[in-house]
Amino acid sequence: MHPDSVPTRGRTLDHAAPVYDICEPVVMMGRQAGYNRQIIALLSLQKQHRVLDLGCGTGALTRAIGDRLGDAAGGMALGIDAAAAMIRVAIKKRESATCRFEVVAAESLPYEAASFDAVVSSLFFHHVDLDLKECALREAFRVLRPGGLLIVADMHTPSTLMGKLISYGARWFLMQPEIGENISGVLPELMCKAGFEQPRLHAMFFGYIALFATRKPQGTPS
Ligand SMILES: C[S@@+](CC[C@H](N)C(=O)[O-])C[C@H]1O[C@@H](n2cnc3c(N)ncnc32)[C@H](O)[C@@H]1O
């Protein structure tokens, strides 16, 4: 582990930081821009919004969100990752007036309650075990304002033969039980358990990555 990384049971990717931006387009079959666009469309961004990106990696999605926000209006996309090496790359390549990064674990967010308009996360939840999935969702719920959006894109029950091959292959090749939990379909029920409204499934990418959107109910005391 990198000395500045945050201790966590999550599978952090310090070791992959130098090559992540080269490998990711291969994993996403060159469709990362379209994938990010669909996530961002669900956010219904306004210039003044504050958006938190959990497990942001090298920050491509965080920056794409930040580019749609307004500095003068107080808008800010904040990417967090427990891996300091990932955040170092993100800061070097992608920090801007409306896009910042911090080394923070998603299960223990040092931010005030109700301080974000939206929380987003891409391909993070299959890196943490069931307990951390629950903690991270509870933390997301806490830092969101009532009515705020949670958008999660992550591995889920595969919907195609290709999706099955990729997700079960990754589960066993990488020996990652956290992927098995996602495949079994735990994410929507965990979102509800954390207090969110029933999530809607908006899209499936490649037959195994689901795009969910839900909200913190309006009447929730903050
Ligand atoms: C597959 S990468 C996804 C990166 C980026 N969101 C994307 O879509 O390309 C998963 C990220 O989760 C981070 N991670 C793992 N456990 C974490 C934790 N407990 N808190 C925050 N980040 C964590 C890893 O370091 C890694 O950068």
Side-chain angles (χ1 to χ4, degrees), residues 5-16 20-21 24 28 32 35-36 39 53-62 80-84 86-87 102-109 120-128 132 136 153-154:
S5 292
V6 183
T8 174
R9 288 196 313 279
R11 291 179 189 253
T12 49
L13 290 184
D14 277 310
H15 56 285
Y20 192 80
D21 284 350
E24 167 106 81
M28 300 298 280
Q32 195 185 13
Y35 168 88
N36 283 347
I39 294 175
D53 182 3
L54 304 178
C56 66
T58 55
L61 174 63
T62 327
I80 63 108
D81 201 290
M86 283 293 209
I87 292 298
E102 291 179 355
V103 183
V104 163
E107 63 269 26
S108 168
L109 298 174
V120 66
S121 136
S122 157
L123 302 177
F124 155 72
F125 279 97
H126 71 276
H127 278 250
V128 292
L132 289 190
D154 220 301

Side-chain angles (χ1 to χ4, degrees), residues 43 45 48-67 69 74-81 87 90-91 94-106 108-112 115-122 143:
L43 284 167
L45 291 173
Q48 75 279 12
H49 275 174
R50 287 176 48 82
V51 181
L52 181 65
D53 182 3
L54 304 178
C56 66
T58 55
L61 174 63
T62 327
R63 176 62 192 258
I65 294 168
D67 285 348
L69 304 175
M76 171 63 61
L78 175 59
I80 63 108
D81 201 290
I87 292 298
I91 289 173
R94 303 209 163 94
E95 205 161 58
S96 76
T98 51
C99 180
R100 280 196 2 242
F101 298 96
E102 291 179 355
V103 183
V104 163
S108 168
L109 298 174
Y111 310 120
E112 280 180 24
S115 54
F116 289 91
D117 299 287
V119 174
V120 66
S121 136
S122 157
V143 301

Side-chain angles (χ1 to χ4, degrees), residues 152-164:
V152 173
D154 220 301
M155 298 181 76
H156 184 55
T157 310
S159 58
T160 62
L161 179 60
M162 181 58 80
K164 280 185 186 145

